[in-house]
Amino acid sequence: MEIKKYMSSDEKIALANLNPGAKKIFIETYGCQMNVADSELVYSIMIEDGFAVTDDYNIADLILINTCSVRDNAEQKIRNRLKVLGLVKRSRPGVLIGILGCMAERLKEQLIEEEKLVDIIAGPDSYRALPKLVAEAESGQKAINVLLSREETYAEISPVRKSKNKVTAFVSITRGCDNMCAFCVVPFTRGRERSRNPETILREVDEIISEGFKEITLLGQNVDKYNWNNGEVNFAGLLRMVAIKNPNLRVRFSTSYPQDFTDEVIKVMSEHENICKYIHLPVQAGSNNMLEKMRRGYTREWYLGRIKAIKTMIPDCAISTDIIAGYCSETEEDHKETLSLMEEVGYDYAYMFKYSPRPGTYAANNFPDDVSEEDKSRRLSEIIEIQHKLSLESNLKDLNKIFSVLVEGISKKSDERLFGRNSQNKVIVFPGKDFRIGTYVNVLVTDCTSATLLGHITSEDDLISKINKKI
Ligand code: SAH
Ligand code: F3S
């Protein structure tokens, strides 16, 4: 039997691009990390189908846009982008344009009616059908597949990781979401929750390690619901299995859901040095009225209990959140409770949004979007202001500390500086040369802004004395 040698992403792309007659694919990705991971699956599927890969849409034969629907402004951005791509199509009519992801799933045929230049619509569960859809589109038909599946996890497909950053990689472990938060379109666009076979996850982790990556992020809309074979493997178990693969591989995960985030997960995190001490635990709002109306399934008190458990079991753990400003019927009192919760938790970082009604969701169907635009904007600014202060306070606490930093690349602002992150997911910038990319260095923090820590690599002596101190 022929044994197929494992090929790295770069080798696969190089081989595909050797064929001068191959049609070229270009993918542009918007939205969450899951979309980034999905685009890597699509590259894999299309390379297998004989496509070459390009970074230049001006020479591509197939342009795919992997889209986000979570807020209206995300969709508007993509519609504007389509106008630009329309010019490409006018100059080269043979080019095919496809919409993937959440907008494809949400709008279906309507998108083809509204955006005449679109040839292909493929929802998140129909990427295996893409070669067939492309063939249909080549024959002049509009091609659509938006079927959602209860099983599809693309488990055995090895993603082609095209990004230049060969330091950190994504691995998807669950797809879909069953939570049905009242404001959220994701359950409609990504379908039912399902977990991927752990064997295929661990195999992918091995591949990632063999390609030289140093950090992985396990991905799912709600990773805490990971459940293989009726509880045979839960998220804590999977996390442990991944962590023990290689102590030099950093492990992150996203996103956790407060209701499902267990002490067992916190315990596994505390037991393994290489599981990063960082948790993204979206709260959305601080008042129980809003939480109930959002159908989040937990109260402010319960959420604070989870935070307490994290801080008790992992004192140096960083915590971030998502917050929505101006949800349906939110009062000034409700808003103040969000601000006070932020202070109480002392978030290290936050992603903050104005509420945007999404058609078809429970909130859009049942509650008026009745907070004025002016109030929404003001409340969002107040939330951002508080977070700015909290992030700065958090960073000031790190002055004079030494962190192990995984170097990810050259700083955008200066060729003489590198950047990387510490276990707590904070970005640290320091002088250095690119041969360090992908290595761990010890950085002493000497300065900071609210967004970034600044420092320098510590000398061997500093390092040894730090290690001695630990012992
Ligand atoms: N569990 C997912 C959440 C996806 S949506 C994850 O893996 O990240 C990401 C964030 O967008 C949510 O946490 C919420 O804060 C925000 N969001 C979702 N729907 C929204 C809406 N209709 N308006 C404003 N923000 C929204
Ligand atoms: Fe959306 Fe809530 Fe799931 S925010 S992705 S429905 S956990």
Side-chain angles (χ1 to χ4, degrees):
M1 194 178 80
E2 186 198 358
I3 297 173
K4 242 183 161 179
K5 180 184 159 288
Y6 170 71
M7 264 201 272
S8 73
S9 293
D10 287 345
E11 285 169 334
K12 280 183 196 160
I13 292 172
L15 190 64
N17 288 2
L18 271 182
N19 176 1
K23 288 172 287 177
K24 297 184 188 63
I25 179 174
F26 169 87
I27 309 181
E28 197 160 278
T29 306
Y30 292 84
C32 63
Q33 296 172 328
M34 189 65 105
N35 266 7
V36 176
D38 279 359
S39 291
E40 293 172 345
L41 283 172
V42 172
Y43 274 122
S44 180
I45 291 166
M46 299 314 287
I47 285 175
E48 192 74 13
D49 192 51
F51 271 78
V53 171
T54 176
D55 287 327
D56 179 2
Y57 64 77
N58 288 302
I59 59 164
D61 302 282
L62 174 64
I63 299 176
L64 299 178
I65 310 182
N66 199 351
T67 60
C68 172
S69 280
V70 84
R71 283 169 294 277
D72 186 55
N73 58 9
E75 290 200 353
Q76 291 316 322
K77 201 161 137 193
I78 289 156
R79 298 223 186 225
N80 288 335
R81 189 69 179 136
L82 278 173
K83 293 199 181 84
V84 176
L85 295 175
L87 302 177
V88 178
K89 185 131 176 161
R90 219 164 292 152
S91 62
R92 291 189 302 128
V95 176
L96 294 179
I97 296 187
I99 301 290
L100 313 179
C102 289
M103 250 176 114
E105 193 64 50
R106 191 177 88 73
L107 294 162
K108 306 182 171 66
E109 293 83 2
Q110 191 190 331
L111 197 51
I112 280 193
E113 281 156 30
E114 289 169 3
E115 305 284 351
K116 297 276 183 279
L117 67 139
V118 172
D119 305 286
I120 299 161
I121 302 270
D125 287 344
S126 48
Y127 298 149
R128 283 181 206 266
L130 269 170
K132 199 170 133 270
L133 294 171
V134 170
E136 268 172 53
E138 278 168 347
S139 74
Q141 303 164 50
K142 300 278 183 185
I144 304 185
N145 187 332
V146 286
L147 290 178
L148 285 175
S149 153
R150 279 170 176 268
E151 284 94 35
E152 181 63 274
T153 58
Y154 302 105
E156 82 298 351
I157 299 179
S158 295
V160 169
R161 297 185 166 84
K162 204 183 127 298
S163 96
K164 290 199 183 69
N165 171 338
K166 295 289 176 200
V167 182
T168 75
F170 294 133
V171 177
S172 72
I173 64 165
T174 70
R175 295 184 73 83
C177 186
D178 282 353
N179 279 32
M180 299 299 271
C181 301
F183 53 80
C184 185
V185 76
V186 171
F188 301 92
T189 58
R190 289 195 160 266
R192 300 303 298 270
E193 215 159 66
R194 59 217 106 118
S195 295
R196 178 178 171 188
N197 180 336
E199 272 173 37
T200 67
I201 296 172
L202 295 172
R203 191 218 60 222
E204 195 176 318
V205 172
D206 283 336
E207 290 172 3
I208 287 169
I209 295 170
S210 76
E211 283 198 40
F213 286 90
K214 296 290 162 49
E215 178 181 281
I216 61 159
T217 304
L218 303 176
L219 290 182
Q221 300 301 332
N222 175 1
V223 287
D224 304 298
K225 282 278 204 66
Y226 181 84
N227 174 357
W228 180 251
N229 224 356
N230 296 321
E232 190 182 308
V233 185
N234 65 7
F235 180 56
L238 181 74
L239 194 57
R240 185 182 292 113
M241 289 196 273
V242 172
I244 60 177
K245 276 262 167 214
N246 185 331
N248 283 323
L249 180 78
R250 273 189 175 178
V251 183
R252 299 183 185 275
F253 54 89
S254 190
T255 300
S256 294
Y257 191 76
Q259 186 70 37
D260 305 315
F261 187 66
T262 59
D263 285 354
E264 195 190 354
V265 171
I266 309 177
K267 186 158 177 287
V268 172
M269 288 179 75
S270 70
E271 286 167 355
H272 298 269
E273 176 100 27
N274 61 329
I275 303 180
C276 290
K277 303 302 175 266
Y278 167 65
I279 297 170
H280 181 59
L281 198 66
V283 69
Q284 314 297 357
S287 92
N288 282 334
N289 282 343
M290 288 297 102
L291 288 171
E292 197 183 331
K293 221 167 173 176
M294 288 175 165
R295 303 193 145 192
R296 290 287 285 181
Y298 56 84
T299 59
R300 175 190 178 100
E301 294 70 32
W302 201 87
Y303 181 88
L304 289 171
R306 294 289 71 211
I307 297 292
K308 196 167 168 210
I310 296 167
K311 291 191 171 174
T312 310
M313 289 164 82
I314 316 176
D316 62 342
C317 194
I319 302 172
S320 64
T321 193
D322 291 350
I323 291 184
I324 298 178
Y327 184 59
C328 312
S329 80
E330 185 188 66
T331 62
E332 282 307 309
E333 275 314 302
D334 292 322
H335 167 61
K336 291 217 170 76
E337 289 198 51
T338 295
L339 302 182
S340 74
L341 179 125
M342 291 174 75
E343 295 269 9
E344 205 167 329
V345 176
Y347 289 114
D348 298 276
Y349 192 79
Y351 300 86
M352 299 154 284
F353 316 102
K354 265 193 250 181
Y355 172 59
S356 152
R358 309 310 294 134
T361 57
Y362 186 87
N365 289 342
N366 294 281
F367 309 132
D369 174 26
D370 53 3
V371 176
S372 71
E373 188 53 37
E374 200 188 333
D375 280 343
K376 271 187 195 171
S377 297
R378 182 197 26 93
R379 288 178 193 172
L380 180 64
S381 318
E382 289 173 11
I383 288 168
I384 292 172
E385 200 179 311
I386 291 222
Q387 187 52 49
H388 196 263
K389 187 197 79 172
L390 293 175
S391 297
L392 183 60
E393 279 171 15
S394 157
N395 285 353
L396 285 170
K397 282 190 204 142
D398 291 338
L399 291 182
N400 301 318
K401 286 188 190 159
I402 295 172
F403 291 104
S404 171
V405 173
L406 174 58
V407 186
E408 283 180 44
I410 296 167
S411 155
K412 277 191 201 115
K413 289 192 187 140
S414 156
D415 285 354
E416 304 291 302
R417 286 165 166 226
L418 298 172
F419 78 93
R421 280 174 299 153
N422 64 6
S423 173
Q424 288 75 6
N425 208 35
K426 288 190 181 177
V427 174
I428 307 192
V429 175
F430 51 92
K433 294 273 177 256
D434 63 0
F435 67 85
R436 298 267 195 190
I437 292 173
T439 66
Y440 291 99
V441 293
N442 284 291
V443 177
L444 171 69
V445 176
T446 53
D447 199 359
C448 71
T449 66
S450 67
T452 316
L453 299 176
L454 305 162
H456 57 77
I457 297 179
T458 53
S459 71
E460 295 267 293
D461 289 348
D462 284 345
L463 212 149
I464 290 162
S465 73
K466 171 110 197 303
I467 293 168
N468 287 342
K469 240 187 252 161
K470 257 194 181 167
I471 296 165

